[in-house]
Amino acid sequence: EGAPVSLVRARWLQSVVISVTPSRALVDETFRVAVQNLPPGSPVTLHSLHRSEDEDLWEAFGHYVSDSRGTVSVADDFSFGGTYTGKEAMGLLWSMSPVPGSREGLRLRKKNVCIPQLVNISVYGGHVEEGFGERLPLASTLTERWHLGPGVRRIEISERGVRGTLFIPPGPGPFPGMLDMWGGGGGLLEYRSALLASHGYASLALEYFTAGELKSADKEFSYFETAFNIVREHPQVIPDRVGLFGLSLGSLMASYLAAESSVIEPRCCVCVSGGHLYPRGANLQQLFRAYSSHSHKLRVDEHNREIWRSINLPIPEDLSQKLDVGKINCPMLLVNGIDDQNWPTVECAEDMAHMMRAAGKEHLLTRIEYPDAGHLIEPPYSPHSRATKFIKDVILLWGGQTKPHADAQEDSWRNILAFLQKHLYCTQNPKAKM
Amino acid sequence: MDRKRCCVKLSVHPSRGLMDEKFTVLVQNVLPGFQLTVYAFYKCEGGYSWEAFAHYTASATGAVNVSEDPSRGGTYSGVEPMGLMWSLRPVPGSKSGLRMRKMNVQTPMEVTISVYQGHLTEGFVDQVPLAAVVVERWYMAPGVRRIPITEGGLTATLFLPSGPGPFPGLLDLWGGGGKLVEYRAALLASHGIAAMALDYLTPQITKETGKMVDYEYFEAAYRVLEQHPQILGSRIAMLGLSFGTSVTLRMAVYSQVIKLRCAVCISGSHVQPIDGSVAQIMTSFNDNADKTRFNEEQHVIWRDLLMPIPTDASLKVDVGRLRCPLLLVVGEDDQNWPSYESAMDMKEMMQRAGNEHLLTVLSYPNAGHLIEPPFTPSARASAFKTISNTPQTVMVLWGGEPVAHSVAQEDSWRKTLVFLRVNLYGGSQPGAAASSHL
């Protein structure tokens, strides 16, 4: 007593140690955040900070109390408040949101996968709610989150009219392959393919229209078939083990190719937040135009965010408005969020199951649906955004609540990798043989 | 396409780790009882190829876990989680006398780990492995900052840990080979200590003037740490290996400027003429050059140059006057310095002086001279370029048996980090002090 507060602070500053293990990891790997040398029973705030490639700041925080040995372990202890609560080893990542004062409608997406995402993890004294930038932490450390594993090769593809980036795992191969398609926002997004290659799949991230230019997209289905063949014909790819992976519009593309293509035979399909609504006979341009146009059924919420899910409800009975999913001959994994506000994916999945059952193909279908998860089900630990800017200034409501959506991302990714392992890597099960 | 090849799953976790972190190598999806070879390959900065390998037999579940299963032969045997790293050796046909040292710490060491069918001992390059992955091994943790120091005539590099600080500081000294060797300091910074790697035998100033540095140089380096806004001036340590120990002990006891919180001395001795310059320590060793011995392979044994340990007080640092904790790390098979004998003599001196409570000795049977951070290969002998007006390269015998030496490296590094943490981060229990103010 009587000593100035700064001296007390100095003693704290000298000793407090924060660690993140592993300090460098793939984005879908967990880490352990631990703080040591705190006074026992002291309230502290664990804080994460990330500056995105677009120069926006994202943060998350949790309120903890150190134990009798003066330690806090995020993986083992409870957060009593902040952007996440409870025992959440990865809460400092998935509960991130743009800092107060940020631009509206932001979505965190990695463009350059050759360098990692840098996240600062700090510990502050007391239970802090705001103003982290103005305070000095007791300790902080930097952690790297990578989409690209060591040794994965990145090859820019611009051949036969197809544009994309192919990622090949390290090693002699040959490897199973993947054609990876994103949704209606367009452009070339490499991060999921980089991650798939880090798990042993030669994956082609496909660009099928320029970012924001869905209305004028003019590709034919043959574009996708050629892209698939580019993967299939690569010397390090096993030709009869190439799958399709799609999200949103990309998922519809995957389902279309699986059902309708006479040129390619995907070994399996992963369809995230997709559907089967497609006017038969329409070409791609017509389909894209139909998707990008608004109808009288478009709703907006109280914040003027567009809700597209009801545009295509109820699911039409008319078969000519839907893909003939009965023609699909490969295993399909459908992953959807029950709170998807952008597309009636669960209703579509239900109808797809009905149609496939009628065709005797139901055994090919696996459906996973997550309560309170939204449309953008991405690889785990990335932040959830309930609504973001889509094209120009339109803000779309994707749906989902942060914690359930994060759980859905983690659980679905595990299921997706297991599904791919089963169908693309021959798993010899010795127990089955005995 | 070979179907069998596509099944084998090889993973190393973490795929990007620090040099002193262990990894787990897992092979899966092979048939039970399958014989395989796990192989590590590394091309060092000098362009030389290094390899290690081990023979395993898959379990009943068709897997091999290098951390848990025994190697039945290769460059290591038994259960050795990090054997693929510390048993790396130059590939057959390589130049002799190589020593693996990473000089550029800003890039990782990239090791390719593969799995081959069968129990192979050679010809790896001519076979296609079943699978291969790349592992990155880093000396610098994310956020560690590398700052070249040239002020005050110093040739040094400061590594600041990640975060705002302030941090305890450390002066890191290597031995008689000279040069600016950064990797241990980089690793210490990755563990929260602001460490400065100091070139004190071949610094710019010596190259220009031809004169060896003395007290002022080390005191200048100490002052850079002491005055740095992100370093705690009252918590500075010194760590020296080999000749670096001679300097560390001298400064710890005799410098009026350097006030160490603690010191770590690896494979060194307190034997030196204490009056006179640092340069004269070197000369005094050279005066005993006739005590040099050679083994059957004509490798140079220098341990006798300082033997027997003198009784004359003017010929050894008076460690009885030490006021800070001292950790001595010695290999009992050190063929380069009499480090074990010196440690025993230091212990006796400190017992007589009444400050023995400051001393901790870690002594490792069958370990050699170059006790370095773990999980890199050690050499029983290697080419050594002497520092003198007419430098010559000789094959020096360091000693040590590979398995025992790697055990010594792993154990001593862990204990060194604990020692530094306790003395640099601990001390007055912050918990007790802070709570009394609350």
Side-chain angles (χ1 to χ4, degrees), chain A residues 12 14 24 142 148 170 425-426, chain B residues 6-7 16 132 140 162 425 434:
Chain A
W12 278 46
Q14 286 168 12
R24 294 181 170 93
L142 198 67
L148 203 64
Y425 270 96
C426 47
Chain B
C6 89
C7 298
R16 292 181 170 98
M140 285 173 71
S162 182
Y425 268 95

Side-chain angles (χ1 to χ4, degrees), chain B residues 304-354:
Chain B
D304 294 338
L305 264 58
L306 297 185
M307 293 287 274
I309 306 291
T311 46
D312 180 350
S314 70
L315 295 175
K316 346 187 241 195
V317 172
D318 187 2
V319 289
R321 283 171 49 181
L322 259 179
R323 289 291 161 262
C324 70
L326 172 66
L327 174 66
L328 294 180
V329 179
V330 301
E332 289 167 21
D333 191 38
D334 191 335
Q335 297 298 319
N336 191 245
W337 285 64
S339 44
Y340 177 77
E341 292 87 339
S342 303
M344 294 302 106
D345 193 66
M346 282 191 257
K347 184 169 174 177
E348 206 188 314
M349 288 172 77
M350 290 174 79
Q351 275 166 343
R352 276 187 266 118

Side-chain angles (χ1 to χ4, degrees), chain B residues 155-177:
Chain B
T155 300
T157 311
L158 174 63
F159 290 92
L160 287 177
S162 182
F167 313 101
L170 185 145
L171 268 177
D172 184 83
L173 271 53
W174 286 89

Side-chain angles (χ1 to χ4, degrees), chain A residues 1-4 7-8 11-17 21-26 29 37-40 118 136-144 146 148-151 170-174 176 199 234-235 237-241 421 424-428 430-431 433-434, chain B residues 1-9 13-18 21 29-32 60-62 110 128-136 138 140-144 162-166 168 232 234-235 421 424-426 428-438:
Chain A
E1 77 202 355
L7 183 63
V8 174
R11 290 222 183 96
W12 278 46
L13 286 172
Q14 286 168 12
S15 310
V16 177
V17 169
T21 316
S23 53
R24 294 181 170 93
L26 290 180
E29 288 174 335
N37 296 347
L38 292 166
L118 297 175
L136 201 61
L138 298 174
S140 86
T141 190
L142 198 67
T143 184
E144 292 179 2
W146 290 79
L148 203 64
H199 285 281
H234 191 282
V237 173
I238 307 167
D240 63 344
R241 283 171 194 258
Q421 170 84 12
L424 297 180
Y425 270 96
C426 47
T427 42
Q428 293 171 11
K431 292 190 187 125
K433 283 193 162 125
M434 287 182 217
Chain B
M1 298 284 178
D2 188 341
R3 267 308 136 77
K4 200 181 342 172
R5 188 173 299 144
C6 89
C7 298
V8 177
K9 205 163 141 58
H13 193 83
S15 55
R16 292 181 170 98
L18 286 182
E21 266 182 315
N29 290 354
V30 293
L31 289 169
T61 53
E110 284 186 20
V128 181
L130 298 173
V133 294
V134 176
V135 181
E136 289 178 6
W138 291 81
M140 285 173 71
V144 167
S162 182
L232 296 160
S234 63
R235 290 177 184 242
R421 208 169 283 144
L424 295 177
Y425 268 95
S428 55
Q429 257 311 333
S435 58
S436 72
H437 288 90
L438 292 169

Side-chain angles (χ1 to χ4, degrees), chain B residues 36-49:
Chain B
L36 54 89
T37 304
V38 182
Y39 180 79
F41 178 84
Y42 170 61
K43 193 156 192 177
C44 68
E45 286 169 340
Y48 301 104
S49 295

Side-chain angles (χ1 to χ4, degrees), chain B residues 282-301:
Chain B
M282 276 290 193
T283 333
S284 74
F285 296 164
N286 291 335
D287 288 345
N288 291 328
D290 55 313
K291 289 191 182 171
T292 304
R293 287 189 291 123
F294 300 86
N295 71 356
E296 321 83 66
E297 285 122 315
Q298 296 308 302
H299 297 157
V300 173
I301 300 169

